[in-house]
Amino acid sequence: MAATQSVKQKVERLRREIREHEYRYYVLDEPTISDRQFDRLMDELKELEAKYPELVTPDSPTQRIGGETREGFQAVRHPSQMLSLDNTYSYDELKDFDRRVRERAEREKIEYVAENKFDGLSLSLIYEDGALVHGVTRGDGTTGEDVTPNVRTIRSVPLRVDPAALKNLGLPKDFEVRGEAVMTRKAFEDLNRQQDESGGKRFANPRNAAAGSVRVLDPGITASRKLDFFAYFLYTDGRVPLKTHWEVLEALHDMRFSSSIKHAARCESIDKVIEYCERWESRRDGLPYEIDGVVVKVNSITLERELGFTARAPRWAVAYKYPARQETTVVKEVIWQVGRTGTLTPVAVLAPVQVGGVTVSRSTLHNMDEIERLGLHVGDTIVVERAGEVIPHVIKVTRHGHGEKPQPPKNCPECGRPIHKSPDEVAYRCVNASCPAKFRESLLHFASRHAMDIDGLGDKLVDQLVEKKMLKDLADLYDLRLSDLESLERMGRKSAENLLEEIEKSKEASLARLIYGLGIRFVGERTGEELAEHFGSLDDLAKASADQLMEVADIGPRVAESIVEFFSEKANQELLRKLKKAGLRLEEKEKRKAPRDTRLAGKTFVFTGTLPNLTREEAGAMVTSRGGKVSSSVSKKTSYVVVGAEPGSKYDKARELGVEILDENGFRKLIGA
Ligand code: IVH
């Protein structure tokens, strides 16, 4: 059928509209419609072009593959220079700093603010009319890179600051906030694990990972990297708009930034600053993110202005750096450990060395690529670093010995069967399902605190149970008797009884814990919870197809495939049967009955904030009783986000993703209640 004039006009109109929105989105970064609305326009155009192929032109927006990518970042000049700080490495140097400040200020005593020195990437955020308009990296201090779309994905960066809060603080709606983007150690380790699995490059430390995640051209990648932002400066028209730095931190807090105030302290003298440094040196391992020192700032802004800057750094602030927790030692040998999923991990056995008060005698080398990167051989002298709770790792080789380059073994060091390597993975793997090393690791994982939490089932015991062939699969744990356990080394009657009690108690663990405990590849704690909530029973989960699994928020094809593969294994089906027989909880306590009403089937709702007339439970029940689902996090798969008073970050996320947003009335209308 030939296209009529009106179809031609419609196609042209759609293209014009789409181009305009693309320009707003990609170039101006000021979209005026949601992604969903944008997709609808695009779908409409695609449909018409499919129907009337003669209308397709090379410049139609449908002909662009993957959309326009940005070519590098735009350079942006900072409103005022982003300088660095002078470093000090001893308390004497800190006292010198204090003396210089007191002399210049002609005062006896100076009040300081001591803050954590976050180890990340500094950013300048520009707000106009209360809304975030630019996020810029420090760059060379004068000019940085415009990374706005990426910065917008950081949840702790408010996209808009409440005008009422600004008014209360007596602040204008145009301002600049400076602070540090950081990655928690947990997010860093998860990221490196993912990089290992996908064959990507590992990041050396959370700081590199944070910097690398902000400076990527695809904001989708930044969004997936879970960054945080801590604010420590506020400027209006290039000036600090308050009397003290402490007030700045308080104001940032009121503006709903994560400000460094949480761990900062006002110190009446440098001695108090030193006490703060000492206190945090021992506590810093307990923080979720890395700090590399303390930043000391003069509290009075008037004094700050008086003191001014040297060419490089402010005179009113200084950094006190903690000693690096690195030491030099020698690699004695490299051994290969077999993990739960059969992955072989090279581990460097080191001449024991004290690193920041802890003896380190082993360090993971992660995989073959890492060994190549380091150029490491047995006998080499290396630098090992211990950062927080992170497992010690080798930073670099400083001197070569005369040893061999480590090579992955041809056969599994535990079961002797041949090792496999698939071309698209860095890792070498033992694929023998009954490899004792794999089984030992899965037992330890099953018993771990966040899984079935079987206290007392540790390394030594598991080794014996596996070696003596007392267990062949996880379910055999539930057949252990007192006499079996008593026959083991270092196992008295009392501990055997305790262990049996713990094992018995674990039968009551939630379905989510059990799913996590099974050790399915890519299924972590959170995914375990989501699967338990969605399927309600292990049987239903085991029967689910990859498509059905992908209906669960946050589950992609890779995870879905891994779950299907797990439950299609004969041995695992047998395991399920045995677990059921042992009396484990294979269902959610209150199994959701299959809803008769299916009006909301396939729809996922997320609630945030307080609704005027409904509690969360009531609203949730209204959804599930109509066959819909309630999820706790917003993703592209979320159908609606229902927003009440004082909504949390889920609201921002919904807006970011273009998910439809409803208030209580809209919600009631939609579901017909
Ligand atoms: S104030 C004039 N406060 O450390 C620059 N910086 O070594 C004053 N940093 O570039 C910076 N935490 O990236 C300040 N609480 C904090 C900080 C902090 C981390 C970083 C920042 C700065 C570098 C200086």
Side-chain angles (χ1 to χ4, degrees), residues 595-601 619-628 671-673:
R596 255 168 278 136
D597 188 341
T598 54
R599 270 178 290 171
L600 297 180
M622 286 160 83
V623 170
T624 46
S625 66
R626 287 166 176 78
I671 68 167

Side-chain angles (χ1 to χ4, degrees), residues 81-87 115-123 138 178-180 182 230-233 235 245 249 260 292-297 309 312-314 316-317 319 321:
Q81 267 218 316
M82 281 180 89
L83 290 174
S84 192
L85 291 172
D86 281 335
N87 288 327
E115 300 169 18
N116 284 340
K117 185 170 183 317
F118 306 100
D119 204 6
L121 168 83
S122 51
L123 290 176
R138 176 170 175 271
R178 288 184 185 174
E180 198 90 347
V182 297
F230 289 98
Y232 48 70
F233 279 142
Y235 297 103
H245 181 61
L249 295 183
S260 51
D292 60 342
V294 171
V295 179
V296 186
K297 297 171 185 166
F309 297 84
R312 265 180 331 146
W316 42 266
K321 301 267 278 193

Side-chain angles (χ1 to χ4, degrees), residues 368-468:
M368 227 22 229
D369 277 6
E370 179 72 1
I371 294 179
E372 295 282 352
R373 190 185 69 79
L374 292 164
L376 179 139
H377 296 71
V378 174
D380 285 359
T381 304
I382 52 110
V383 175
V384 62
E385 180 182 66
R386 195 177 64 83
E389 315 264 281
V390 179
I391 315 161
H393 74 280
V394 178
I395 306 267
K396 60 177 181 206
V397 173
T398 53
R399 185 153 37 89
H400 285 296
H402 302 286
E404 309 252 294
K405 183 175 152 193
Q407 290 297 341
K410 297 254 177 311
N411 295 81
C412 172
E414 298 278 346
C415 70
R417 300 277 281 275
I419 291 300
H420 287 249
K421 176 174 185 321
S422 70
D424 52 345
E425 270 187 344
V426 189
Y428 290 75
R429 236 175 252 291
C430 169
V431 291
N432 171 15
S434 49
C435 171
K438 278 159 75 172
F439 181 44
R440 200 171 47 223
E441 292 301 316
S442 13
L443 261 174
L444 284 170
H445 173 75
F446 187 74
S448 65
R449 206 153 51 87
H450 295 278
M452 303 302 270
D453 194 17
I454 306 177
D455 202 17
L457 192 62
D459 270 339
K460 301 250 155 47
L461 196 56
V462 163
D463 279 353
Q464 291 191 63
L465 290 168
V466 176
E467 223 163 86
K468 297 209 158 87

